[in-house]
């Protein structure tokens, strides 16, 4: 079945460091891929998405590229800020319109 | 423009009781999906409603049921509550053919 695997957290970085959160998926067909962010006490917010191979999603300095050959959608940011501290979820939308989620990666940015 | 509204925000129930959670979708959206998010976990898909019918269902028992009304709002009902039903319940709305899901802030259900 379809599944999403993302790196375990927490990931702790200093401000202005480079961020990578790994995400790989297993799916039939060509799912759409998403990164969502969840700030403490809040719901999920769409961060970025990609709908086909080689698409690059980007938003607020975050980027992720849909790599079909490696079935990956790694999240990157060149210089993180304290305000980026949150839980990040990788997800895919399957052919039945369901969102399949990774377990989430908690990101902690220290000043 | 209001986003997705969920009520109540917090709820405490006793084992064996029944609960109803409510969701109003974002303006212009006609599809509502419900998710259960246990502490420290990713969301798990419960079911999705479109045109007042359940379109898809995840791996949840029949104790979990739902409804969608003509104005696209939705309810999630859980009967015979178990301690393990304690979680954040998220509602997401979308429009058919559109990839954008908008999530509400959730209802935190605690079963004691």
């Amino acid at each position: 079945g379809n599944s999403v695997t993302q790196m375990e957290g927490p990931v702790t970085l200093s401000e202005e460091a480079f961020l990578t959160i790994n995400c790989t998926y297993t799916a039939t067909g060509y799912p759409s891929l998403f990164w969502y962010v969840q700030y403490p006490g809040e719901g999920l917010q769409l961060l970025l998405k990609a709908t086909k191979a080689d698409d690059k999603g980007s938003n607020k300095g975050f980027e992720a590229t849909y790599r079909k050959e490696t079935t990956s959608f790694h999240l990157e940011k060149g210089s993180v800020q304290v305000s980026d501290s949150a839980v990040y979820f990788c997800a895919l939308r399957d052919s039945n319109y369901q969102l399949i989620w990774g377990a989430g990666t908690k990101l902690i940015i220290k000043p | 423009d209001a986003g997705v509204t969920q009520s109540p925000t917090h709820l405490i129930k006793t084992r064996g009781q029944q609960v109803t959670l409510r969701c109003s979708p974002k303006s212009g959206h006609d599809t509502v999906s419900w998710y259960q998010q246990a502490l420290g976990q990713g969301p798990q898909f419960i079911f999705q409603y479109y045109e007042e019918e359940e379109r898809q269902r995840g791996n949840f028992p029949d104790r979990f049921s739902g409804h969608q009304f003509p104005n696209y709002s939705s309810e999630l009902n859980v009967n015979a509550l178990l301690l393990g039903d304690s979680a954040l319940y998220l509602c997401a709305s979308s429009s058919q053919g559109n990839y954008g899901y908008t999530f509400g802030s959730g209802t935190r259900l605690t079963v004691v």
Side-chain angles (χ1 to χ4, degrees):
Chain A
N2 299 330
S3 65
V4 174
T5 303
Q6 57 183 109
M7 63 191 294
E8 289 188 22
V11 173
T12 303
L13 297 172
S14 297
E15 207 166 19
E16 299 184 3
F18 185 87
L19 168 71
T20 299
I21 300 178
N22 291 336
C23 171
T24 57
Y25 67 90
T26 301
T28 54
Y30 304 94
S32 296
L33 302 173
F34 305 83
W35 277 101
Y36 279 82
V37 59
Q38 188 172 38
Y39 298 100
E42 297 185 15
L44 292 153
Q45 300 176 26
L46 177 65
L47 183 58
L48 53 84
K49 67 177 188 289
T51 59
K52 60 183 187 296
D54 299 325
D55 267 3
K56 177 184 282 188
S58 61
N59 186 27
K60 300 181 181 179
F62 291 90
E63 294 182 340
T65 301
Y66 190 145
R67 301 286 189 199
K68 181 174 176 292
E69 62 276 12
T70 54
T71 63
S72 65
F73 192 54
H74 304 322
L75 182 68
E76 296 181 336
K77 186 175 185 183
S79 177
V80 292
Q81 306 299 314
V82 172
S83 58
D84 294 327
S85 297
V87 181
Y88 292 80
F89 291 92
C90 184
L92 68 83
R93 177 184 168 179
D94 67 13
S95 56
N96 293 320
Y97 305 100
Q98 289 186 32
L99 285 175
I100 310 297
W101 300 81
T105 301
K106 185 174 183 178
L107 175 64
I108 300 170
I109 306 300
K110 295 187 174 181
Chain B
D1 177 28
V4 177
T5 304
Q6 290 188 243
S7 63
T9 55
H10 295 83
L11 202 53
I12 299 175
K13 288 286 189 179
T14 304
R15 274 181 301 174
Q17 284 188 313
Q18 179 265 343
V19 68
T20 297
L21 310 182
R22 296 176 175 82
C23 172
S24 293
K26 181 178 179 179
S27 177
H29 286 181
D30 55 12
T31 303
V32 173
S33 303
W34 286 92
Y35 292 84
Q36 181 194 65
Q37 186 180 15
L39 199 62
Q41 302 293 320
Q44 298 293 315
F45 175 74
I46 302 175
F47 42 53
Q48 182 183 83
Y49 277 84
Y50 171 66
E51 293 188 335
E52 302 180 47
E53 291 188 358
E54 184 182 290
R55 294 189 64 209
Q56 298 289 336
R57 188 178 181 91
N59 188 25
F60 279 80
D62 292 344
R63 298 186 298 109
F64 289 77
S65 63
H67 189 77
Q68 186 178 34
F69 299 93
N71 66 354
Y72 308 119
S73 67
S74 177
E75 288 182 350
L76 164 65
N77 301 291
V78 187
N79 295 321
L81 284 167
L82 304 173
L83 295 180
D85 295 332
S86 296
L88 180 67
Y89 288 84
L90 295 166
C91 170
S93 72
S94 59
S95 180
Q96 282 300 299
N98 189 310
Y99 291 100
Y101 293 85
T102 301
F103 281 81
S105 297
T107 294
R108 173 72 64 188
L109 173 65
T110 302
V111 182
V112 298

